Amino acid sequence: MSTHPDPQAEATPRTPRLTRRLDERLTRLGVTGRFARDGLLAAAVTVATLLLLAMLFWIVAPAEGLAVDPARAWLVLVLCGVQAVLLCLRRIRPLLCLALVVALQLVVVGLFLPELSIRGLAPFVAAYTVGTLRPVRTALLIAGVATLAETAGAVASAVLVAPDILLATLGSLTASALTYLGAAFVGGYVATYRRYVELVRVRAEEAVRAQQAGVQAAIGAERSRMARELHDVAAHHLSGMVVQAAAVERLIDRDPAAARAGVAWIRAQGKQTLDNLRLVVGVLRGRTGADAGDGTVPVPGLAVLDDLVRTAADLGGPVDFVREGQPREVPPIADVALYRVAQESLSNARQHAPGAPVRVALRYLDRRVTLQVRNDPPPRRPEPATRTTGGVGLVGMRERAQLIGAEFTAGPTADGGWAVTVHLPTAPEVARAATATAQGDPT
């Protein structure tokens, strides 16, 4: 029979801590595999069984006034010793092991009935092993068959030698039931508990994996939000600075005063860009008020949309701003999102349609707020160097609109221009939902 290492015998996560420590020590000693370890257990049970029976026959029985035939005592020692040795098969052939143990136990019962009820440790261990390896119902059924078999053997022996057959039968039935059914029940309980511990461990690992996945998703969303904010700020200001720098380059020799004014504008725009970047980074870090920046930069929103339009007009293109309806407050996240959409739309118009007239319309209607940025066709095709690649701006604007529950459309107009439109519902229930969203995402 093979004694090579068996991977199933190694310590697994469902193995109790004490058993794992024992397995580790046995592995270090070179005792690996089910057969080898069960053989070691069989040897230990054999020694313990022989010691217990020797004490019973030659110490306890004489002290109680019971005379034990030495020949039968030695024969029982041998039979119980063989039972214990058979435990080396307990996990390789559990049913065969239990059957052989029960067969030897029938001989032991026949030798001492009705004087004594003798049994070693092997029947307990064999029944316990069946309980751990088989489903509870199957294990109890097997243990019940073993109980009936031993009881039948006891009845057969009692018919020949026992004066009180009923008493001998009840005694044997009780002892057999406690041995086989009790041990199988304990084994089933232990196996169920181990499966429960394993299930708890698996669920804990799944919860940890789900938590890690949630953290990674949150990190990804945060990175996307940071990229969107930084793109909006940098694209708007830097594109304007590039346009102004090109104009300054042409004015250096022809009009130095205008060139100096352009450089001053670029310097002011650069300072404003830094202030806005500090504000964005501060908000993304969870700081508000003066902690978010230097305390002088307002949070961008529809209230400062006039300044945004004025800055865009300063870069050379005609920009008209129309505000219709009675202004009213919108949730903070929607306020910032609409401002960023206007900012990105103006930057795109400046890059893709330089010099084309732009019209910004903000309408406060009964149940919605509408923002539209529309530009006419460019008077000339933009130079390749001024074109952008990737379409990140439209993606960012669409994400912002989805975040606040607004309807977003962007596309060419009939006259060859481009229009970006955002419809923000402001019904009470929608406003409450947007406010709730704003509490989880302040930008």
Side-chain angles (χ1 to χ4, degrees), residues 62-134:
E64 296 294 332
L66 298 175
V68 179
D69 183 7
R72 287 197 297 174
W74 282 107
L75 182 56
V76 169
L77 283 177
V78 171
L79 292 174
C80 291
V82 173
Q83 275 185 327
V85 171
L86 289 173
L87 292 178
C88 62
L89 303 175
R90 72 184 189 98
R91 286 189 292 175
I92 298 177
R93 294 287 188 271
L95 297 182
L96 176 62
C97 177
L98 181 61
L100 294 176
V101 167
V102 172
L104 292 175
Q105 186 62 32
L106 290 176
V107 180
V108 173
V109 170
L111 289 174
F112 273 95
L113 195 72
E115 293 92 348
L116 293 174
S117 178
I118 304 295
R119 68 182 63 247
L121 300 177
F124 296 94
V125 178
Y128 169 85
T129 303
V130 171
T132 59
L133 299 179
R134 294 289 187 271

Side-chain angles (χ1 to χ4, degrees), residues 24 46 85 91 100 162 172 185 196 200 308 312 355 393 412 414-415:
E24 292 173 357
T46 300
V85 171
R91 286 189 292 175
L100 294 176
S172 178
F185 178 80
Y196 168 76
V200 171
L308 177 65
D415 59 358

Side-chain angles (χ1 to χ4, degrees), residues 179-212:
T179 300
Y180 300 111
L181 291 175
F185 178 80
V186 172
Y189 172 80
V190 171
T192 302
Y193 177 76
R194 290 179 180 176
R195 287 192 292 269
Y196 168 76
V197 171
E198 176 69 5
L199 180 60
V200 171
R201 184 190 66 82
V202 170
R203 288 184 175 178
E205 290 180 352
E206 291 177 352
V208 171
R209 286 194 295 269
Q211 182 181 17
Q212 292 175 347

